[in-house]
Each structure stands twice: as structure tokens, then as C-alpha cells.
Amino acid sequence: MLSYVIEGNCKIEGTVKASGSKNAALPIIATAILNPEPVTFYNIPDIEDTRITLKILKMLGCKITTDSGKIVISSKYMHNKTIPKELMHKLRSTVILAGAILGRFKEATFSYPGGCNIGKRPIDLHLKAFKDLGVEIEEKEDYIHCRAKKEMIGAKIRLDFPSVGATENIILASVYCKGVTHIINAAKEPEIQDLAKCLNKMGARIYGAGTSRITICGVNKLHKADYKIMNDRIETGTLLCAAAITGGTVKVENANPEYLLNVLYKLKEMGCDIKIGRNTITLKSPKQLHSVNIETTPYPGFPTDMQPIIGAVLTKAEGTSIIKENIFENRFKYALDLKKMGANIKINEKENTIEITGKTKLKGETVSSADLRGGAALVLAGLSAEGKTRVENIEYILRGYENLENKLQKLGANIKIEKVV
Ligand code: EPZ
């Protein structure tokens, strides 16, 4: 088990570069299954989630060469259409690969990706959409077998909820469909716009990504292409919040303010001074942070992935803040560890809200990551706490943040990884 050991009372100061986006990388890597021609991706973060995804593509028969952030993939001789359940369970977002396999081969076999610590995370919207595209689905011995009856025909697909993964899966599965596919109530996240830009560069015809109505006109083939993926907006928000919680100042480069507007508004409302550059965001923390209320909603609302992170910062704010989580049913685990560090937090499970009353000087403790973003929240709490904090189970954090401890060390943090046998 790996832990972070953090000396508190630090002030995050300096300039740092954001890495490529985890949540753009995963669906964009999946496009390599759809496209039999060689594809080259740049700015792919070297994190556990991308490593596992590339391992699955290799297991499916893809040829992959990597060279510090540049990845070349050829699926020309890909033969396997089944994602083994032990790999599906490792990483929930592998369900995205199913749409790409289905789109390319008109059949795919996979298992339920399983929930994770933030919620049940079903895939009913994905499966319903596949059926709309003419796919027969049979569940047998905890595998889901998808096969197109004859060919896959474009369809009008209305999503009950603007699911990011379901929107991505429909795009991947419908690129070669006969006719036109319309997604109504599509998710509008920037990662979906990045996926569409990447596929269109390969010769796909996708329109309206970033809006709630996306149109995919079927094409017969895709061609060789290279693509540089967007930077990670949630990592950017995390680094800005590291300065906010420690009373510091940070400039994040390779950052697109457009993709974090709602988070920046809230940080400003909390009293932070925010300066926007061409592709930089600078945050200067005030002497005293103010409390605010937060409601997570689909993009362009306040992102659920920033909810735990801003929750940690709000322990330092004067007054009472209320956070309402509307996307996942179990995303407040980190609050129990913040309470252990001395935070004054009331959790209302029925309402799926927490009430944070500050300001509190947290004290260093041994705490444990229960999920990716909750773990990041505990790291930020440790930076600002009195004394030493040990954050255990940081494998969750390493899944989604590239070299987080190096980035924070360069910004003045005393943080190191410790292997506990
Ligand atoms: C993506 O997950 C992100 N992951 C999540 O980031 C992010 O929190 C989430 O979108 C929302 O923005 C990746 O992109 C790899 P959803 P996804 O489908 O696609 C329910 C992180 O920390 N739902 O938009 O799984 C679901 O249970 C991760 O980087 C169904 O009910 O999210 C949830 O309550 C965490 N049925 C809500 O919709 C379905 O078929 C949003 O899920 C699909 C989803």
C-alpha cells in the first residue's frame, strides 16, 4: 500500500503545468480501436488509468508504441472483441471500449464494469442506446454479448440523463453506422468536444459536440491521424485549490479557463483573486476565505469531480457552506476524514448534502483515500493542516493525477510517497 506523508502549514507558491486530461484520454484512446489505420496521440498523461486502458488494447491485439506522452496505436490486426471481466472491474471507464469495439466489429463482449466508491454507476443508458442502434444484447454468465442484427443503423437516441460515458459510447458506436444518429440530451463536457475533434480529424462526421444535441453522420472509413488531447481541467482546479487552501498563489499553465468557469466563479466568490492569461490561470488566495454554497450539475455547471476538492478548501472559509451533490450518490466519504482532522462538517445522507462550518485549523492525522477526488481533497487538507498527515491508499490518486507529488513539491510542499508493506 502506498501513502503520501505530508508536512502541513505549507504555502503553495509558484508556476506549474497541467498534464493531459485523464477523462479525455480514455475515450480518445478508444478511437484507436475504431480506426484500423495508425493513430498518434500526444499529451496522454502517464497515469494508472491510461496504463490499464493501453494494456487492454494490447490484449485485444493492438500494436502500441509509447514515447513520453506520445502514443502510436495500430489496431489493424486486432482480433479480440471480448474485454475480460477482471480488466473491466479494474477500471470502470473500460465500458467506453465496448462502444468502439461494437462500432468497428458490429459485436462486442464485456462485463458490467462494477460500481466504484462514489456510486452504483450503472450502464443502462449505454445498453439502451446500443439497442436503439440495432444491437441485440444477451447477458450470459456475467458477460454482456452485443451483436448487430444485420448492420448498425443510425437512430435518434434520447438520453434520460446527460451521461458523459453514454454520450461518448454512442459517438464511438455510431461513427460507421448507416445513416445519421442524433443524440438528444447529450452531455456537453469539454472531454466530449475533444473526442469529437479527434474523430473528425480521422474523417468522422460529428456535429454539435458540446451542445445537448449531437449529430453523427455515418462514414465508411477513417484515415491515419495524429491528435494532441486537451489538458486536465480537474487537475487544474485541484492545483488552484491547493493555493486557495494554503493561503498561497499559483499560476497554472496549459489551462483553459473556459472549461472551469463555474469553479473560477466560486473561487472568486470565496474571495480569491483570479487572473486569466492566454492559456494560464493565476489564483491568489485572500487573507480570509468566505463560505459559499455549491450544487454539482452536468457541464457547464459546477463539476462533481471538483466537489470533494472545494469541500476541503471550505473548511478554511469563515461561515457555513452547503454542498449539494446531484450526480453521484456516495461522494462525501472524504468528509469523514476531514472531520477526523478537526473539520466541522454535518453530513445529510438523505439530502445528499454536507454543511461545512469554518474556519477550522485542521490537524495532521492518518487518513485514507476512498476514491480519486476524495483522496486529492485529503492531500490538500494535509498541506494546510497543523503537523504531519499520512494519506493512505493513494493508489486511487495515482489513477488520475500525473506526478502530483512532484508538482506540489515544486510549489513548496513537503510531500513524499511512502511504501507501507
Ligand atoms: C465521467 O464518468 C467521468 N469519468 C467522471 O469522472 C465524472 O465524474 C462523470 O463523467 C460526470 O461528469 C470519465 O470520464 C472516465 P456519467 P461517467 O455517465 O461517464 C448515472 C473522475 O473523478 N448513470 O455522466 O461514468 C451515474 O450513475 C471521474 O475523474 C446512469 O444512471 O459519468 C451517475 O450518477 C469520477 N446510467 C450519473 O449518471 C448510465 O448508464 C453521471 O454518470 C450511466 C450513468
Side-chain angles (χ1 to χ4, degrees), residues 70 108 110 115 125 156 218 241 260 329 407:
K70 170 184 167 186
F110 54 99
L125 301 177
K156 184 176 269 192
C241 285
L260 269 178
E329 60 270 33
K407 287 172 178 155

Side-chain angles (χ1 to χ4, degrees), residues 28 30-39 41 75-76 100 103-104 171-172 174-177 195-206 216-225:
I28 283 175
T31 65
I33 292 176
L34 210 48
N35 186 351
E37 299 305 317
V39 289
F41 299 133
S75 65
K76 193 177 181 78
R104 164 93 178 267
I171 290 173
L172 289 162
S174 63
V175 162
Y176 295 129
C177 273
L195 171 63
K197 268 193 273 195
C198 174
L199 280 167
N200 286 342
K201 204 170 172 201
M202 296 177 179
R205 292 175 58 207
I206 302 163
I216 303 105
C217 302
V219 295
N220 296 325
K221 69 184 187 52
L222 297 175
H223 52 70
K224 190 171 142 96

Side-chain angles (χ1 to χ4, degrees), residues 169-416:
N169 239 344
I170 298 166
I171 290 173
L172 289 162
S174 63
V175 162
Y176 295 129
C177 273
K178 226 169 175 41
V180 180
T181 297
H182 296 280
I183 309 174
I184 321 286
N185 195 25
K188 301 187 263 188
E189 271 69 5
E191 292 77 14
I192 290 167
Q193 298 172 54
D194 217 32
L195 171 63
K197 268 193 273 195
C198 174
L199 280 167
N200 286 342
K201 204 170 172 201
M202 296 177 179
R205 292 175 58 207
I206 302 163
Y207 310 99
T211 74
S212 59
R213 189 181 181 113
I214 299 178
T215 301
I216 303 105
C217 302
V219 295
N220 296 325
K221 69 184 187 52
L222 297 175
H223 52 70
K224 190 171 142 96
D226 60 40
Y227 190 74
K228 182 178 180 209
I229 75 165
M230 65 182 272
N231 288 307
D232 198 310
R233 60 193 175 103
I234 305 300
E235 182 199 31
T236 299
T238 305
L239 294 165
L240 293 172
C241 285
I245 197 171
T246 57
T249 301
V250 72
K251 178 179 192 180
V252 184
E253 296 179 328
N254 301 346
N256 183 341
E258 193 56 36
Y259 292 157
L260 269 178
L261 285 182
N262 227 303
V263 175
L264 299 179
Y265 290 150
K266 281 297 170 186
L267 287 166
K268 263 176 93 85
E269 200 184 326
M270 290 164 65
C272 297
D273 176 54
I274 308 266
K275 286 206 175 22
I276 305 290
R278 221 171 63 74
N279 67 346
T280 63
I281 305 173
T282 302
L283 179 142
K284 186 176 179 350
S285 183
K287 284 216 175 357
Q288 182 49 60
L289 288 164
H290 314 303
S291 57
V292 292
N293 294 333
I294 306 258
E295 270 226 44
T296 64
T297 57
Y299 192 85
F302 192 94
T304 174
D305 293 347
M306 282 299 300
Q307 180 264 99
I309 293 146
I310 205 105
V313 183
L314 287 168
T315 62
K316 293 280 301 266
E318 195 73 54
T320 296
S321 306
I322 295 175
I323 299 183
K324 174 108 177 66
E325 172 57 56
N326 293 309
I327 308 293
F328 289 107
E329 60 270 33
N330 190 13
R331 202 161 202 179
F332 287 127
K333 283 218 175 79
Y334 70 95
L336 297 172
D337 284 285
L338 290 180
K339 283 164 71 83
K340 195 175 163 189
M341 295 174 78
N344 177 353
I345 300 179
K346 286 199 204 86
I347 301 172
N348 182 330
E349 288 187 4
K350 203 161 104 1
E351 304 285 321
N352 211 10
T353 60
I354 57 171
E355 199 177 280
I356 304 170
T357 302
K359 85 182 213 188
T360 309
K361 179 68 184 162
L362 300 174
K363 57 185 188 342
E365 274 292 345
T366 295
V367 291
S368 173
S369 309
D371 57 71
L372 166 57
R373 307 300 176 184
L378 298 178
V379 170
L380 267 52
L383 293 174
S384 131
E386 192 71 50
K388 181 186 285 195
T389 296
R390 176 189 299 280
V391 181
E392 295 179 338
N393 293 330
I394 63 167
E395 287 80 352
Y396 284 110
I397 304 173
L398 301 176
R399 277 189 41 208
Y401 288 94
E402 187 181 48
N403 294 330
L404 181 62
E405 68 284 355
N406 299 342
K407 287 172 178 155
L408 291 173
Q409 283 161 358
K410 287 200 186 105
L411 294 171
N414 178 342
I415 175 173
K416 57 184 189 309

Side-chain angles (χ1 to χ4, degrees), residues 36-202:
E37 299 305 317
V39 289
T40 303
F41 299 133
Y42 296 94
N43 201 33
I44 300 281
D46 181 17
I47 51 178
E48 197 49 24
D49 274 13
T50 52
R51 288 187 215 113
I52 294 173
T53 306
L54 292 169
K55 199 169 130 190
I56 296 175
L57 261 71
K58 263 196 193 115
M59 191 275 306
L60 294 171
C62 296
K63 295 265 169 301
I64 301 176
T65 52
T66 55
D67 167 24
S68 57
K70 170 184 167 186
I71 295 178
V72 183
I73 306 176
S74 164
S75 65
K76 193 177 181 78
Y77 301 106
M78 179 176 156
H79 47 277
N80 194 341
K81 299 154 195 111
T82 299
I83 309 171
K85 59 172 176 271
E86 51 283 0
L87 287 174
M88 281 294 293
H89 291 168
K90 256 181 178 278
L91 183 62
R92 163 172 172 81
S93 50
T94 41
V95 67
I96 295 291
L97 303 179
I101 298 171
L102 193 56
R104 164 93 178 267
F105 298 105
K106 312 294 173 261
E107 61 173 290
T109 298
F110 54 99
S111 66
Y112 279 98
C116 64
N117 298 342
I118 59 175
K120 289 191 295 302
R121 303 186 79 180
I123 57 168
D124 54 310
L125 301 177
H126 300 242
L127 300 179
K128 187 166 160 293
F130 288 166
K131 284 182 190 153
D132 291 344
L133 293 171
V135 173
E136 276 172 344
I137 295 179
E138 192 201 349
E139 300 195 21
K140 214 163 60 182
E141 288 134 36
D142 64 19
Y143 271 95
I144 303 167
H145 301 271
C146 298
R147 180 184 294 278
K149 289 168 213 153
K150 289 192 281 305
E151 52 188 351
M152 287 171 71
I153 312 283
K156 184 176 269 192
I157 300 171
R158 178 178 298 285
L159 285 175
D160 296 345
F161 178 85
S163 153
V164 173
T167 302
E168 291 165 345
N169 239 344
I170 298 166
I171 290 173
L172 289 162
S174 63
V175 162
Y176 295 129
C177 273
K178 226 169 175 41
V180 180
T181 297
H182 296 280
I183 309 174
I184 321 286
N185 195 25
K188 301 187 263 188
E189 271 69 5
E191 292 77 14
I192 290 167
Q193 298 172 54
D194 217 32
L195 171 63
K197 268 193 273 195
C198 174
L199 280 167
N200 286 342
K201 204 170 172 201
M202 296 177 179

